[in-house]
Amino acid sequence: MKRILKIFIILFLVFSQTIYAENIGIKNYKLNNNVELRGIRSYYDFNFYVDENWFLKDESYVYLNINISEAIKYKNSMLTVYLNGSSVGSVEIYGKKNIQTAFFLKREKMKVGFNSLRICAFKMIDGEDSYEDTNIGNWIEIQDDSYVHIEYEENMENIRLSNFPYPFLKRGNDDGFNTVILTGEDLDSYLALFYLSAVFGRYDAYSNLSLRVEHIKDFSVDDVDKNIIVISPYFELDENFKKYIDSEDRSKISNNALVKLIKSPYNVDRYVLIITSFDSKKLIFAAKALGDIDFLKGVYDDTFYVGEYKQKNREIYQDRVTLKDLGYKDIVLNGIDNEVDFFIEIPKDRSLKEEAFAQFNLRYSNLIDFEKSSLCIYVNDIPYLDKALSLEKSRGDSIRLSLKDVVQSGSVKLKLKFNLVPKDKRNTAYLANNLFAVILKDSIIYKPTKIEKRRDLLFYPAPLIEDGEFNDLNVVIPSSLDGEDLSNLSNIFAFLGHSIKGLEGLSVSLFVDKSKNNLIYGLNLKELQDNLYVAKKDRRYKAKENIVLNEGDGVIELIYGVYAKDKFILTLNAVKREGIKNISKYLSDFDLVERLRGNVCVINSMGTVKTYYIENEKSIYKNIFSAYVCLGMAIIVFIVLIYTNKCKE
């Protein structure tokens, strides 16, 4: 009992984030949403992640806050928790309105990677009612403040480059990037930085990252409690880092980049990663190599050299996959009322073709009342398609829906919910435990797509990303960037990295490259002023197309056809400096990205977004085209006039 009371005290002292005290890491995985379990037997599965570099402690537990229907008074009503298939504890729930309880999770029952916690409930109202599964009073609700609490020590010894991105990026952690990146002030260092930022985004594809970047010259003692990554030509390195590069290293870095991992000289619990070369262009190859898991597996030391790096054949987008291809086995659902969710992702630069579909192959119990049992498919939690179950098809049934009807691009959530009503109402409790439905692993998701030229920020990260790579993208930067600018850009590229398969198609320049797509950061280029929808003139921003830009605003503009018909520019600008930071957040945060629309977004200091879609693109390309058309028509008119005069003569 004292141990349980200790847990309740801890509950009020910890929050849903990673905390460090005496080198003990604490990670809380919150439920986030209330979960209702109905009927006699029901369950809920919750997954949590254990990093391969954690040494787990025995003080881990699951805390549950449960509201219980007053109608549940049968004394054998119980709740049981399973961890990866093994039971960890049970509690009686009858005759109670609320239970707050905790079960300890033994470290030997947890595994590296995703772990499954199953909360099972057996609940009856009086033990005699044959309709308990359809009785609306037969429920419990797991509250959203329930969570899994993991305690661990980090493995900070014997770290090798093969562990990368650990310890610089701790995947799945809320505070996973306890690192400062130091960079030189040349374009090659910046390009390597942006590729490395994308690498971090690809390693942790579902988290918002907060990268911090400084120039080497601005490095301060305030950052010594962090891990450090240094990207710089050798001649710009600070002496504090140069001293770790020995004569053997120097003999090789004229034609290679050096990647070297050392213990931090400032903090025994931190590391420093040095990326350097006499030839600054080699830094780019090193950054790309750090994004290749298979390459790093072959690195057994704390140092490697990169001369040329060519990416391996990247993963090809697959039109047709089965649940087995996605890592599923046959999915077995037991009980009266159960469900399972599937998430389908379509790259933002693609749209589904008409023939796209999802087909779920099924088997289910013969003990159900087929006149009352059914399956319903929910799309983004809204009922969409249902079907009755039948005895004739119980050994082999299926349900198919058109994907094109429910999603164009992006993600869609499909929920399959079974309602299995027992045939014999007199033995409901017994039968409920034996009812089942199986979603077979040979179920098919067929999602043929076509590449789209995206002209709307609704589809961001398209058009910056196309077909899994940077879309021939040139980053145009001012001649002077500070750490905040570099952090803004790095976080944008970390977000873009969530969507890439290959590390190609990126360049950095002080000037627009008219043969490429261009991302223009914080510049007011004179040659573009007449083609922007919001342009700066005489040190003030000029309102165009009924778009008003106030003092604290920033603006994102996506414009096609300025230099070539199918090429775009994406400009990020603001009246004041802080406006650029706001723009960067909206291009690097999963929640904020959802608010982008149109080809012009104006974002104020309060985070309010105004979106516009302007069809009449005012571009140099169109003006040149129009000029040629006018000239051609003038020539034709001139020839016709001459011909007419000759005929009269």
Side-chain angles (χ1 to χ4, degrees), residues 414-430:
L414 302 181
K415 181 196 298 289
L416 272 66
K417 188 169 185 177
F418 288 89
N419 181 30
L420 306 178
V421 179
K423 184 186 302 183
D424 188 349
K425 300 297 186 296
R426 294 169 300 176
N427 296 307
T428 300
Y430 169 76

Side-chain angles (χ1 to χ4, degrees), residues 353-400:
K353 295 181 180 179
E354 290 291 340
E355 58 267 31
F357 68 86
Q359 176 176 305
F360 296 99
N361 299 325
L362 317 167
R363 287 192 295 106
Y364 39 84
S365 172
N366 287 332
L367 300 178
I368 62 178
D369 185 337
F370 289 103
E371 292 184 359
K372 298 178 180 179
S373 299
S374 63
L375 163 64
C376 182
I377 296 184
Y378 291 69
V379 175
N380 296 328
D381 294 319
I382 298 174
Y384 181 79
L385 178 69
D386 59 8
K387 71 171 293 175
L389 305 183
S390 69
L391 176 62
E392 295 76 20
K393 295 184 177 181
S394 62
R395 308 312 298 163
D397 202 351
S398 66
I399 186 170
R400 176 188 287 218

